[in-house]
């Protein structure tokens, strides 16, 4: 290969490539407030379940589910409305595994604590369990995003090798 | 050593920015590319046409409701050319003894 290009120009071009790809990656990451809203919805569901009041259950649970589902759908379709990131190539197996592990962690933690408290006869088992799951979401969600950002930035073209 | 080929067509600054953006995407909307890169409609159209003529880009025109929507994606040849170009740039930097710093 022969290219009359100065190394500084090549480095600058590589930096430009990384910047452009980094901007696209940033655009698809979930903001921190998303985790807080989903967490609030989860706690609302847990608290409603503990009331065992049919009227509360009939109102709170569908409302919370609709809010969480609408927000999640908005996040996904909002991110993919103008561009679709090559998530399979950028995330790779490690990124996909991190997402699946995080979901299982939150679900497992919530259900595990809930069933354990219920078996022990503790008060407000669903509220406590969903609060614990929500804490995992609020703390772990941004950490997951940070990890996915790192993985995707590492897998983009022109990344350090 | 990985194959590398410097590509003059891709290396032009505006085209490099367009191709870099598209390399991380399955596809991107015309408006999205224009706004991200701060280009005018005509400047972006011209560069997209050049890349399409070279076989590096596929342009898709569709309607969302009644509104026309143009999107672009790198073709297989465009993606391959871009990867070879990146490898060529990395070789130039590495041969000089500098490191490719992660940012």
């Amino acid at each position: 290969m022969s290219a009359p290009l100065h190394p500084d120009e090549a480095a600058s071009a590589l930096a430009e490539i990384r910047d452009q790809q980094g901007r696209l990656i940033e655009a698809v990451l979930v903001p921190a407030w998303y985790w807080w809203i989903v967490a609030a919805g989860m706690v609302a569901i847990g608290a409603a379940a503990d009331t065992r009041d049919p009227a509360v259950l009939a109102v709170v649970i569908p409302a919370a589910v609709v809010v969480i589902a609408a927000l999640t759908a908005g996040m996904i379709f909002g991110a993919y409305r103008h561009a679709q990131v090559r998530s399979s190539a950028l995330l790779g197996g490690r990124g996909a595994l991190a997402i699946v592990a995080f979901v299982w962690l939150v679900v497992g933690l919530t259900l595990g604590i809930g069933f354990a408290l219920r078996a022990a006869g503790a008060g407000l088992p669903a509220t406590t369990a969903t609060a614990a799951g929500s804490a995992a979401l609020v703390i772990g969600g941004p950490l997951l995003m940070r990890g996915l950002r790192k993985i995707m930035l590492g897998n983009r073209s022109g990344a350090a090798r | 050593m990985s194959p590398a080929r410097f590509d003059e067509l891709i290396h032009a600054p505006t085209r490099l920015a367009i191709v870099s953006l598209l390399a991380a995407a399955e596809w991107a909307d015309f408006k999205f590319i224009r706004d991200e890169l701060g280009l005018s409609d005509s400047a972006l159209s011209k560069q997209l046409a050049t890349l399409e003529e070279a076989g590096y880009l596929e342009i898709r025109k569709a309607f969302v409701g009644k509104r026309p929507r143009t999107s672009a994606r790198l073709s297989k040849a465009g993606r391959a050319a871009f990867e070879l170009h990146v490898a060529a740039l990395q070789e130039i930097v590495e041969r000089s003894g500098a490191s490719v710093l992660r940012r």
Side-chain angles (χ1 to χ4, degrees):
Chain A
M1 185 211 65
S2 63
L5 196 69
H6 193 275
D8 286 348
E9 291 175 86
S12 165
L14 286 170
E16 167 73 11
I17 290 167
R18 288 192 297 272
D19 279 352
Q20 292 301 342
Q21 300 193 338
R23 285 160 78 171
L24 193 64
I25 289 166
E26 290 295 335
V28 298
L29 291 171
V30 172
W33 57 260
Y34 167 82
W35 304 107
W36 283 94
I37 295 178
V38 174
M42 273 178 63
V43 174
I45 290 171
D50 281 334
T51 65
R52 294 172 184 261
D53 180 333
V56 173
L57 291 173
V59 173
V60 174
I61 293 180
V65 169
V66 165
V67 167
I68 292 171
L71 185 66
T72 303
M75 281 288 155
I76 294 168
F77 291 117
Y80 288 118
R81 192 166 42 185
H82 301 300
Q84 185 182 341
V85 168
R86 298 185 75 215
S87 39
S88 56
L90 291 171
L91 280 176
R94 214 153 54 98
L97 191 66
I99 294 169
V100 171
F102 180 65
V103 171
W104 277 103
L105 173 76
V106 173
V107 172
L109 186 72
T110 306
L111 293 180
I113 291 175
F115 285 124
L117 290 176
R118 194 173 169 188
L124 303 177
T127 307
T128 309
T130 50
S134 295
L137 266 185
V138 168
I139 296 166
L143 289 176
L144 175 70
M145 289 301 111
R146 198 183 302 171
L148 294 181
R149 179 190 289 114
K150 195 175 171 188
I151 290 170
M152 288 197 283
L153 291 178
N155 286 339
R156 70 191 155 164
S157 304
R161 60 179 190 177
Chain B
M1 182 178 287
S2 61
R5 193 180 68 224
F6 188 86
D7 193 312
E8 292 284 357
L9 187 91
I10 289 177
H11 195 70
T14 307
R15 288 197 290 273
L16 182 67
I18 294 169
V19 174
S20 302
L21 194 68
L22 289 174
E26 294 292 350
W27 57 265
D29 207 57
F30 182 93
K31 279 184 186 173
F32 178 82
I33 303 169
R34 182 197 64 192
D35 296 344
E36 281 294 313
L37 304 182
L39 297 171
S40 65
D41 284 359
S42 59
L44 178 58
S45 295
K46 189 180 163 192
Q47 299 301 341
L48 291 182
T50 303
L51 289 164
E52 190 183 24
E53 276 170 29
Y56 287 176
L57 207 73
E58 291 165 10
I59 294 177
R60 191 175 55 182
K61 292 177 191 285
F63 279 87
V64 178
K66 288 183 179 176
R67 296 165 67 181
R69 184 170 169 177
T70 303
S71 60
R73 63 182 294 164
L74 279 187
S75 65
K76 204 172 170 183
R79 200 168 287 285
F82 175 69
E83 292 302 333
L84 293 174
H85 184 65
V86 169
L89 294 172
Q90 285 174 325
E91 268 189 24
I92 293 168
V93 173
E94 284 167 7
R95 273 207 309 256
S96 75
S99 60
V100 182
L101 294 174
R102 194 188 295 271
R103 297 204 325 179

